[in-house]
Amino acid sequence: MSDTPQTYDLFIDGSERPAQAGKTFPVYAPATGALLGLVARADAADVELAVASARRAFPTWAGLAPAQRELILLRAADAVEGQRAALVDLLIDESGSTITKARYEVDYSASLLRVAAGEARRLYGDTFPSERPERLSLVVREPLGVVLAIAPFNAPVVLLAKMAVFALAAGNSVIAKPSEETPLSALALAALLARAGLPPGVFNVVTGLGAECGEPLARHPGVAAITFTGSSATGIKIAQIAAAGLRRVQLELGGKNPLLVLRDMDPERAAAIAAPGIFAHGGQICMASARIIAERQVARPFAEALAREAAALHLGDLRDERSAYGPLINQAALAKVTRHVETARAEGAEILTGGAVHSGLTYRPTVLWQPPPQSLVWCEETFGPVASVVAVDDLEQAIAVANDSPYGLSAGVLTNDLSRGLSAARRIRCGAVHVGTHSFHSEALAPIGGLGSLSGIGRSGGKYSVEHFSELKWITLPA
Ligand code: NAD
């Protein structure tokens, strides 16, 4: 066996090509530390090529009959499913996903492609009665041009797919900029799209660092719109860049999602429902239920039951279906989780379980009781397997605490009382509220997005994405 690491090129204009400066960066498996490959490290010169390629491809793709775009996206869904095992393997290696999370990601990506394929046919227009009887008014929907999709590391295939496939369905060409932690799955997706018949240049992948290629892409005047999923800090930068160029932008950012546990719930049952919403992928999920707000009657028994659920989670081989989650993405992520837990401990929070490294980059499932309201772990995104539980007097206070956050992505309300559940759902300021389950819930047709300023702007999913990635044009004709 050769010791030479595998190299991965950029994917531009339908073919693989190295970065023009010849630079690469290493990608490691978070679970083992193994070097997975050396990946092309793009800079501004490569950005020029990618934008030129996407601009060239746009008119042909936009000009195809919607049914042809539909067919290619359907074939791409089949291609993704056909390569399920290989994609799952790649996700386990590069993102530290368990086999269960990786399968979910691949299956959800295929489902997004199918939903987007259907949307390609539904770019409806309109007519309206003109004020001038001699004119006929038509309103048609047109694609925007080149869409830049910048993706994070935590669910690298499905989050890129969620941004890209609807843009493609609407007739745009796409440049994908994956996270530098997880570029390999984006390159695999590009190969599958090409195999499904996507013309060269319609979907390009530029790998590299945010500052070196992400930012030049975002600033490029040839990019018509930007869709970004990632941290709130980077999202703010992207919004500023988009504003400077007056470009359309959609931002899916961080969360510090509330889960309300109301007094009618059996604590054991509530804990069993809550646990997957907190600990899936080690809490590296934007919609993770990190802030748990429980009515006092059930709060402590619930927290103790949750601690038992957490302590019983199996942390083992990522390819073992029993494994609940694996490593955090890198050392910096582990340091952040440790800092949040340790400062909460010093500030008086009780650690009911966890609060330490399990092994390598894997942190033990952790449940904190009553961290102070100003603590990092309560206020900032931890992005780790850490749940904080606080007790409140009643539903009013629960809603007030839930809304006391600059985030507003997703929420859950655990209750059997639908009237109290609906009342909470209407008043919690989040882009989504799920009654009867936790906050980690995503579907291809749903409008996903944040309400709080740090959770982003705009909605993605189904027809909402297609509306975002197209623009209305008013045409008049002689009547
Ligand atoms: P990140 O912001 O560090 O990076 C995201 C992407 O932005 C990467 O591709 C990175 O290379 C790129 N980037 C960084 N700096 C850039 C710059 N100056 N210009 C252009 N691009 C730049 O985020 P991350 O750590 O990869 O992802 C985790 C974050 O993503 C968490 O905050 C999580 O909540 C959020 N997230 C949100 C959603 C959602 O749907 N709301 C979904 C998943 C993840």
Side-chain angles (χ1 to χ4, degrees):
M1 224 173 83
S2 153
D3 281 343
T4 316
Q6 193 168 343
T7 55
Y8 295 84
D9 291 334
L10 311 171
F11 189 80
I12 295 177
D13 211 11
S15 30
E16 294 171 12
R17 58 176 79 208
Q20 290 171 78
K23 289 189 183 166
T24 59
F25 63 99
V27 173
Y28 298 100
T32 61
L35 177 64
L36 298 176
L38 296 175
V39 181
R41 181 168 162 176
D43 62 18
D46 304 301
V47 164
E48 287 302 330
L49 273 189
V51 174
S53 147
R55 280 171 69 92
R56 264 195 315 277
F58 167 64
T60 313
W61 179 244
L64 283 187
Q68 283 176 280
R69 290 203 296 271
E70 178 191 36
L71 191 61
I72 291 171
L73 293 173
L74 287 175
R75 276 200 217 117
D78 293 344
V80 165
E81 280 172 347
Q83 285 299 304
R84 186 180 192 244
L87 282 171
V88 164
D89 253 354
L90 193 52
L91 283 169
I92 291 173
D93 285 343
E94 82 165 350
S95 69
S97 298
T98 59
I99 190 161
T100 311
K101 187 262 191 183
R103 284 178 181 155
Y104 161 81
E105 230 191 283
V106 175
D107 295 345
Y108 189 15
S109 302
S111 153
L112 283 163
L113 277 158
R114 294 211 169 89
V115 169
E119 292 301 330
R121 287 229 190 202
R122 287 192 280 269
L123 288 160
Y124 294 122
D126 220 346
T127 66
F128 64 89
S130 180
E131 286 172 9
R132 300 186 189 183
E134 74 282 6
R135 306 297 299 168
L136 175 67
S137 280
L138 305 177
V139 181
V140 296
R141 198 166 267 289
E142 295 189 343
L144 304 174
V146 177
V147 169
L148 168 62
I150 304 180
F153 72 82
N154 60 323
V157 170
V158 80
L159 291 172
L160 177 56
K162 191 153 91 68
M163 293 186 280
V165 299
F166 294 105
L168 293 172
N172 303 282
S173 54
V174 170
I175 300 174
K177 155 66 184 89
S179 164
E180 47 273 48
E181 303 286 352
T182 53
L184 306 184
S185 49
L187 292 166
L189 181 65
L192 291 173
L193 289 170
R195 200 184 301 169
L198 206 71
V202 176
F203 185 79
N204 309 274
V205 181
V206 175
T207 53
L209 310 188
E212 289 179 6
C213 66
E215 204 161 320
L217 276 166
R219 290 191 189 284
H220 201 291
V223 167
I226 306 170
T227 172
F228 171 86
T229 307
S231 66
S232 306
T234 313
I236 289 167
K237 252 189 222 170
I238 298 290
Q240 286 164 344
I241 294 171
L246 287 183
R247 249 96 44 76
R248 183 174 297 202
V249 66
Q250 180 194 12
L251 303 167
E252 307 245 338
L253 309 180
K256 195 76 199 182
N257 308 288
L259 176 66
L260 273 54
V261 182
L262 304 194
R263 61 186 183 229
D264 64 284
M265 284 301 290
D266 168 53
E268 301 281 339
R269 184 164 155 62
I273 297 172
I278 300 153
F279 299 115
H281 201 37
Q284 297 173 109
I285 297 285
C286 56
M287 298 176 185
S289 302
R291 288 190 301 142
I292 304 184
I293 303 155
E295 283 189 290
R296 204 166 297 285
Q297 294 89 331
V298 290
R300 183 70 191 195
F302 164 79
E304 288 171 2
L306 184 63
R308 285 192 295 278
E309 286 278 338
L313 290 177
H314 180 77
L315 303 182
D317 189 303
L318 296 178
R319 288 174 171 83
D320 180 340
E321 285 179 6
R322 290 171 306 160
S323 295
Y325 64 83
L328 296 166
I329 191 69
N330 54 30
Q331 206 61 51
L334 181 63
K336 182 180 187 189
V337 172
T338 304
R339 189 171 72 250
H340 280 202
V341 173
E342 289 313 317
T343 52
R345 192 200 301 263
E347 288 164 356
E350 184 184 347
I351 299 189
L352 299 182
T353 189
V357 172
H358 171 72
S359 66
L361 293 175
T362 306
Y363 198 81
R364 284 175 57 197
T366 298
V367 178
L368 303 181
W369 172 250
Q370 299 279 51
Q374 73 285 358
S375 59
L376 283 177
V377 81
W378 189 256
C379 300
E380 292 186 11
E381 196 178 38
T382 307
F383 231 49
V386 181
S388 300
V389 185
V390 301
V392 292
D393 292 335
D394 53 27
L395 183 57
E396 288 306 309
Q397 198 187 356
I399 292 168
V401 172
N403 288 343
D404 185 18
S405 168
Y407 295 100
L409 190 57
S410 191
V413 183
L414 298 188
T415 180
N416 297 304
D417 181 338
L418 283 187
S419 140
R420 290 184 96 211
L422 181 59
S423 163
R426 296 299 298 268
R427 291 150 69 206
I428 292 175
R429 267 191 63 78
C430 281
V433 183
H434 305 289
V435 178
T437 189
H438 52 69
S439 56
F440 173 26
H441 185 177
S442 186
E443 290 187 21
L445 284 170
I448 308 278
L451 264 187
S453 56
L454 289 187
S455 288
I457 47 175
R459 292 291 175 272
S460 71
K463 68 172 186 176
Y464 311 102
S465 276
V466 175
E467 282 165 10
H468 178 80
F469 291 124
S470 59
E471 188 52 288
L472 298 174
K473 180 183 279 178
W474 177 35
I475 296 175
T476 74
L477 299 168

